[in-house]
Amino acid sequence: MEEILRQQIEQIVPLTDDEFTQILTYFGERKFKKNQYLIQAGDYAPNDFFVTKGLLKSSFTDEHGKEHILQFAMENWWMSDPQAYHNSLKASLNVSCLEDTHTYFISLDNREKLCADWQKMEHFFRKKTQAGYVALQRRILSLMSQTAAERYTQFVQLYPQLLQRVPKALIASYLGVSRETLSRLFLH
Amino acid sequence: MEEILRQQIEQIVPLTDDEFTQILTYFGERKFKKNQYLIQAGDYAPNDFFVTKGLLKSSFTDEHGKEHILQFAMENWWMSDPQAYHNSLKASLNVSCLEDTHTYFISLDNREKLCADWQKMEHFFRKKTQAGYVALQRRILSLMSQTAAERYTQFVQLYPQLLQRVPKALIASYLGVSRETLSRLFLH
């Protein structure tokens, strides 16, 4: 499993075996069962999770009890409640498993230590965060300017694997469309 | 003007006079007039701009010719087309001036050199990008789960200065509400 984390880092910065062994000591390893929660709204959310196997969703439940899907994370993706994690606040999001999931996780303290000790890891996290920022901005543009059909087409192109693994109702929530609209789109 | 840039950096990493002088050499300085474009959709967008005076907007024009406001930037804020900038692609956004504007700007090449030469600047940009990521995620949650009235209230709380300086039609576009809805909210 640790090879997936190593490959993730090495997409941006090369590592020797010895370096990776040392970097790995900043991480913990944890398995979760399907439907189990990694983060619950109202609790602290001290870890950023890297998925090596399985599938997660993060969601926000509004005051009317409606769940809005913010993100999915499958193998090779990161997942946290970023606002809670980076500011040591209580979570506003729930993160739970759509499949049995294996993760490596890093606390904020360890992330900051790792970045201070290893400039290449500071570089890695800067680049990853920048890529995440660009993806979020694309999502905002999509929510503001695209029709349900356009959003669905973009989702299929960007994340064909998720389409196979995520229940349709959750994809509809992620896209901000009704389940009925999504069903209609599936028929085309 | 350069003091504003220095304060921006020193909110995260302390600098000596000599260090700031050296860091400043990686930046350029440029003034723009009201209504002038910093970035035009279809052109390359090689610079990230830091505003020391003035006010910018970034927007996306969809295929029906409708303009969607993505972001504003006043003093002490950064502005670019992040997707185009970080990936050396052509811009999909327009960035233009709502007021006469003074900026410091940094090219992607210089940003990468600066980060490689100065770990404290790599740290600075990592932290800034993380904060930006958190803000974008809050915006997505807002677009997905809040009513127009809730979005307007949040905007007023977060950005009281923008309310005074930005035309109401642009605030309506930023919030994803109609101008009529916004006018109604203003009356309360």
Side-chain angles (χ1 to χ4, degrees), chain B residues 16-137:
Chain B
T16 65
D17 289 351
D18 186 48
E19 283 173 340
F20 179 66
T21 303
Q22 290 181 59
I23 286 165
L24 197 58
T25 64
Y26 294 78
F27 287 83
E29 188 177 357
R30 195 166 162 200
K31 288 178 190 178
F32 299 88
K33 288 281 179 197
K34 184 174 175 176
N35 295 327
Q36 201 177 342
Y37 281 75
L38 287 71
I39 296 170
Q40 296 206 58
D43 290 350
Y44 285 101
N47 293 310
D48 192 8
F49 295 92
F50 176 73
V51 178
T52 50
K53 186 172 175 6
L55 181 60
L56 305 174
K57 67 166 174 151
S58 69
S59 66
F60 173 74
T61 302
D62 69 23
E63 58 191 20
H64 308 292
K66 185 174 172 190
E67 182 185 38
H68 304 270
I69 303 290
L70 197 63
Q71 220 177 313
F72 301 107
M74 56 185 173
E75 293 80 9
N76 216 23
W77 291 14
W78 296 83
M79 178 66 97
S80 67
D81 179 332
Q83 182 161 26
Y85 176 72
H86 289 295
N87 302 303
S88 302
L89 299 172
K90 289 184 180 172
S92 55
L93 305 180
N94 288 303
V95 174
S96 62
C97 298
L98 297 175
E99 301 173 1
D100 290 354
T101 299
H102 178 274
T103 67
Y104 288 95
F105 63 88
I106 188 162
S107 69
L108 183 63
D109 267 5
N110 271 8
R111 185 194 188 96
E112 294 304 316
K113 274 182 210 145
L114 178 57
C115 287
D117 295 347
W118 296 79
Q119 182 167 4
K120 55 171 72 175
M121 291 306 294
E122 182 118 61
H123 181 74
F124 168 77
F125 280 116
R126 177 170 70 86
K127 288 294 192 177
K128 284 307 289 183
T129 307
Q130 273 170 7
Y133 184 94
V134 168
L136 285 192
Q137 193 164 68

Side-chain angles (χ1 to χ4, degrees), chain A residues 58-60 62-64 66 68-71 80-83 86-87 92-93 108 111-112 115-127 129-130 132-134 136-141 143-145 147 150 173-176, chain B residues 58-60 62-64 66 68-71 80-83 86-87 92-93 108 111-112 115-127 129-130 132-134 136-141 143-145 147 150 173-176:
Chain A
S58 69
S59 65
F60 173 74
D62 69 23
E63 57 191 21
H64 308 294
K66 186 175 172 189
H68 305 270
I69 303 291
L70 197 63
Q71 221 176 313
S80 68
D81 178 331
Q83 181 161 25
H86 289 295
N87 302 302
S92 55
L93 305 180
L108 182 63
R111 185 193 188 99
E112 294 305 314
C115 288
D117 296 347
W118 296 79
Q119 181 166 5
K120 57 171 69 175
M121 290 307 292
E122 182 118 60
H123 181 73
F124 168 76
F125 280 116
R126 176 171 70 85
K127 288 294 193 178
T129 307
Q130 273 171 6
Y133 184 94
V134 167
L136 285 192
Q137 192 162 70
R138 189 173 53 214
R139 179 103 183 274
I140 289 174
L141 278 176
L143 283 169
M144 292 180 79
S145 70
T147 64
E150 287 165 345
S173 170
Y174 174 87
L175 295 174
Chain B
S58 69
S59 66
F60 173 74
D62 69 23
E63 58 191 20
H64 308 292
K66 185 174 172 190
H68 304 270
I69 303 290
L70 197 63
Q71 220 177 313
S80 67
D81 179 332
Q83 182 161 26
H86 289 295
N87 302 303
S92 55
L93 305 180
L108 183 63
R111 185 194 188 96
E112 294 304 316
C115 287
D117 295 347
W118 296 79
Q119 182 167 4
K120 55 171 72 175
M121 291 306 294
E122 182 118 61
H123 181 74
F124 168 77
F125 280 116
R126 177 170 70 86
K127 288 294 192 177
T129 307
Q130 273 170 7
Y133 184 94
V134 168
L136 285 192
Q137 193 164 68
R138 190 173 51 215
R139 179 103 183 273
I140 290 174
L141 278 176
L143 283 169
M144 293 181 78
S145 69
T147 63
E150 288 165 344
S173 171
Y174 173 86
L175 295 174

Side-chain angles (χ1 to χ4, degrees), chain A residues 31-90:
Chain A
K31 289 178 188 176
F32 298 89
K33 287 281 177 196
K34 184 175 174 176
N35 295 327
Q36 200 176 346
Y37 281 75
L38 288 71
I39 296 171
Q40 297 206 56
D43 290 350
Y44 286 101
N47 293 308
D48 192 9
F49 295 92
F50 176 74
V51 178
T52 49
K53 184 170 175 7
L55 181 59
L56 304 174
K57 66 165 174 152
S58 69
S59 65
F60 173 74
T61 303
D62 69 23
E63 57 191 21
H64 308 294
K66 186 175 172 189
E67 183 186 37
H68 305 270
I69 303 291
L70 197 63
Q71 221 176 313
F72 301 107
M74 56 185 175
E75 294 80 10
N76 216 23
W77 291 14
W78 297 82
M79 178 66 96
S80 68
D81 178 331
Q83 181 161 25
Y85 176 72
H86 289 295
N87 302 302
S88 303
L89 298 173
K90 288 182 180 174

